[in-house]
Amino acid sequence: MEVDKGKGEAEETRKVAEADRDTVTLKSSDGKLFEVSKEAAARLSTVLAGMIAGGSIDDNGTDLKQIGSEALENVVDYCNKHANSIPSAALISSSISFNTAPFKEPEEWERKFVDRLSHDALFDLVEAANFLGMERLLDVTCHKISEMMKGKSPDQIREVFNIKNDYTKEELEEIRQELAWAFYDD
Amino acid sequence: MGSHDVLLLLDLPDDILELILLSLQSPLWIVWAASTCKRWLRIISTTGFTRRFCTIHRRRPVVACTYYNRQGLLRPRFETSPSAATVAARHFSLDFVPAHRNECGWTIKDSRGSLLLLYSEEPKSWRRELIVCEPLTRRHVVIPPPKPHVFYRSAIAVLLAADDEQGGGIGMSSFRVLLCSEQDSHIRACMFTSGSFYWREKSIPTPPKILPIGFAEGRRYWHFGGKTTTVVALDQSTLKFSSFVLPGDNKDRRKVILTIGREGEVRIVVDGHGNMLKIFARQKGAGGEGAEEWALEKTIHVSAAMLGLPPQLKFFDLTWDQPEDAGMVQIRGYHGGASKIPMRFHLDMETMEVKCLPRRDVDYRISATAYPLEFPWPPRLRACTYNNA
């Protein structure tokens, strides 16, 4: 009896401790577990915020079947880095432009964060950010992809992103005539 | 998900592709993206996309080329920007604008977006012409003269987007031209909208010696007066005039300028004797419908604010060009002695902190106004889009 009672108490305290925990555990499609700051997760992801508020977070690891371990690791890494980053001075001083700007330029650490990713990892992260409703991460990753397109000719863009040209010769000619200024002369 | 053999950008849903395309800063790059495949052209051609890009683009416009007027009958010259490095110079040339037999040259009056406003005027023959053109698409439209005539050379002429309030773009089929002139003790404002044939007009009676102050927050300001200062304001979008008197005795005013406060609201600064700046702010909600009231918000003794600074300057005045930094006024200070080179300062209207600006090595004799030109937005992308509808 005494042993049982002790067990029950232990169970009770464990539950309380977990409700008060400041991290949540997420589980990738391939079963790997990741811990992330509860505060950062709730702030950065509308989906995770909803799950935390709704109590549907599983202490043994909340299943995120749509996200692979590599992408989830990056998501968690981003959340933790975000939680530790100090907002830049520019952000504090120019509160006017911050409130009205539709998109804020990535900060230095965010740039570095996406720069080190392989193309595959970047695309997986875009999808994960979209799935988890992480607006800021989505902006930062999309910005990175757009950087890969900037200044590239249509042919170069098709090559980088493996896009099939589905225009007919006549259609392309029509575009080139309408927007003669935008294309090389030769 | 998982590993890709190739970059499967096209696996992403439309709304994410749109986010990626919105991050492309230059309309030139958007055009290149649109000509890679039909799906991107379709995304880029939607009204939602062109509007959203317009909003972003307005905050960070990409200047493609800058035009400068030249003396005499020479056509304006231009310098292309690095952002237009791949665009051949001939696309910016104004050689498509009709030349006149009597060799009357064209002068740029204003630029906005991808458009230029040009006039040609010959006072002797009363022949004057006003056109709006888009160099990159080599199109122009002649604007009929307002009746009675306005001297284009001396008038304030402004190019505006057709629906400025909604944040739409400016283009050959969506622009307005505003002309402000002082005639017969009136300020006369005429507005021409693309696609129409006549000018909308408003005027307000004023004494003959009225001086323009400048433009801020969609309104143009003038001032006149003896002992008191009367200010006339014209709302550029609604063409509505209002006038009000600045409180107090402003008899010794030397200069009246506009600047922007911390919260982005307009301030009128009057520079008086004794290095005193009077800062006026509009009273919210005061005066009832139609009337507006301005109050003295602060008086700054410039010499007191300057005390801590090393160079002992004796004379100060406001500069005509004011900083775009909210909450600041720009001041010039002179030594009393031989040195005639002024030093420039930014004075924070709230904290009274003064910051000395680096000396500019600008030759003030060459004061050619720069007219920046942007790439057309939205671009004409009619090709193929009807096949995808």
Side-chain angles (χ1 to χ4, degrees), chain B residues 40-56:
Chain B
W40 283 8
L41 177 70
R42 180 171 50 75
I43 293 173
I44 286 162
S45 307
T46 61
T47 328
F49 184 88
T50 52
R51 289 237 155 203
R52 276 189 282 280
F53 185 77
C54 205
T55 315
I56 295 170

Side-chain angles (χ1 to χ4, degrees), chain B residues 140-155:
Chain B
H140 80 279
V141 57
V142 177
I143 313 293
K147 285 173 191 153
H149 286 304
V150 168
F151 280 103
Y152 297 141
R153 181 191 291 275
S154 56

Side-chain angles (χ1 to χ4, degrees), chain B residues 207-232:
Chain B
K209 280 190 177 172
I210 187 157
L211 295 166
I213 307 176
F215 168 79
E217 294 280 284
R219 297 212 298 177
R220 230 154 245 295
Y221 293 81
W222 290 261
H223 77 94
F224 64 85
K227 198 168 179 217
T228 55
T229 304
T230 304
V231 176
V232 174

Side-chain angles (χ1 to χ4, degrees), chain A residues 96 105 158 167 178 182 185, chain B residues 32 34-35 60 90 382:
Chain A
I96 299 170
E105 283 282 320
R158 284 192 205 106
Y167 285 114
E178 275 196 321
D185 293 326
Chain B
W32 287 358
S35 55
R60 264 189 327 196
R90 65 181 171 83
R382 288 172 313 173

Side-chain angles (χ1 to χ4, degrees), chain B residues 9-285:
Chain B
L9 187 65
L10 296 182
D11 280 354
L12 298 173
D14 275 6
D15 51 345
I16 294 188
L17 286 179
E18 185 179 310
L19 272 182
I20 295 169
L21 293 166
L22 278 177
S23 297
L24 289 172
Q25 274 165 31
S26 171
L28 180 65
W29 295 335
I30 301 246
V31 166
W32 287 358
S35 55
T36 57
C37 64
K38 289 183 178 176
R39 184 169 170 213
W40 283 8
L41 177 70
R42 180 171 50 75
I43 293 173
I44 286 162
S45 307
T46 61
T47 328
F49 184 88
T50 52
R51 289 237 155 203
R52 276 189 282 280
F53 185 77
C54 205
T55 315
I56 295 170
H57 190 61
R58 267 188 167 199
R59 288 166 213 274
R60 264 189 327 196
V62 176
V63 173
C65 183
T66 310
Y67 291 81
Y68 302 90
N69 285 322
R70 288 196 286 186
Q71 294 287 321
L73 301 174
L74 296 167
R75 281 179 195 272
R77 69 181 178 89
F78 59 88
E79 282 168 15
T80 54
S81 308
S83 70
T86 59
V87 181
R90 65 181 171 83
H91 292 299
F92 293 106
S93 159
L94 297 179
D95 58 4
F96 67 95
V97 177
H100 294 293
R101 240 174 286 153
N102 55 5
E103 290 294 314
C104 194
W106 291 100
T107 307
I108 301 174
K109 204 65 182 167
D110 196 19
S111 73
R112 175 125 180 209
S114 58
L115 304 185
L116 295 175
L117 178 66
L118 305 172
Y119 80 93
S120 157
E121 199 162 52
E122 210 178 17
K124 283 182 209 153
S125 68
W126 289 92
R127 199 193 54 72
R128 51 177 64 90
E129 266 191 278
L130 192 66
I131 63 167
V132 169
C133 71
E134 187 168 61
L136 284 172
T137 58
R138 300 178 72 77
R139 291 182 294 167
H140 80 279
V141 57
V142 177
I143 313 293
K147 285 173 191 153
H149 286 304
V150 168
F151 280 103
Y152 297 141
R153 181 191 291 275
S154 56
I156 295 168
V158 188
L159 259 177
L160 297 162
D163 58 346
D164 228 12
E165 304 79 50
Q166 278 85 48
I170 187 166
M172 286 303 280
S173 53
S174 56
F175 68 82
R176 288 177 301 170
V177 177
L178 171 70
L179 287 176
C180 294
S181 56
E182 288 143 42
Q183 285 171 335
D184 309 325
S185 302
H186 279 76
I187 296 180
R188 183 176 162 210
C190 313
M191 178 81 84
F192 182 87
T193 306
S194 55
S196 69
F197 302 98
Y198 60 92
W199 293 77
R200 207 152 58 87
E201 262 198 64
K202 288 270 179 72
S203 67
I204 189 168
T206 60
K209 280 190 177 172
I210 187 157
L211 295 166
I213 307 176
F215 168 79
E217 294 280 284
R219 297 212 298 177
R220 230 154 245 295
Y221 293 81
W222 290 261
H223 77 94
F224 64 85
K227 198 168 179 217
T228 55
T229 304
T230 304
V231 176
V232 174
L234 168 69
D235 186 310
Q236 281 198 168
S237 287
T238 60
L239 223 59
K240 196 180 153 220
F241 279 107
S242 37
S243 83
F244 49 91
V245 179
L246 294 180
D249 182 343
N250 295 305
K251 192 171 62 205
D252 358 313
R253 67 181 173 273
R254 296 185 297 178
K255 217 179 246 181
V256 181
I257 58 111
L258 292 176
T259 188
I260 302 292
R262 279 268 171 96
E263 309 295 320
E265 68 297 335
V266 182
R267 293 278 185 276
I268 297 176
V269 186
V270 177
D271 179 6
H273 278 308
N275 292 327
M276 284 260 272
L277 295 184
K278 286 186 192 170
I279 296 164
F280 295 91
R282 187 174 176 176
Q283 297 304 99
K284 280 198 184 98

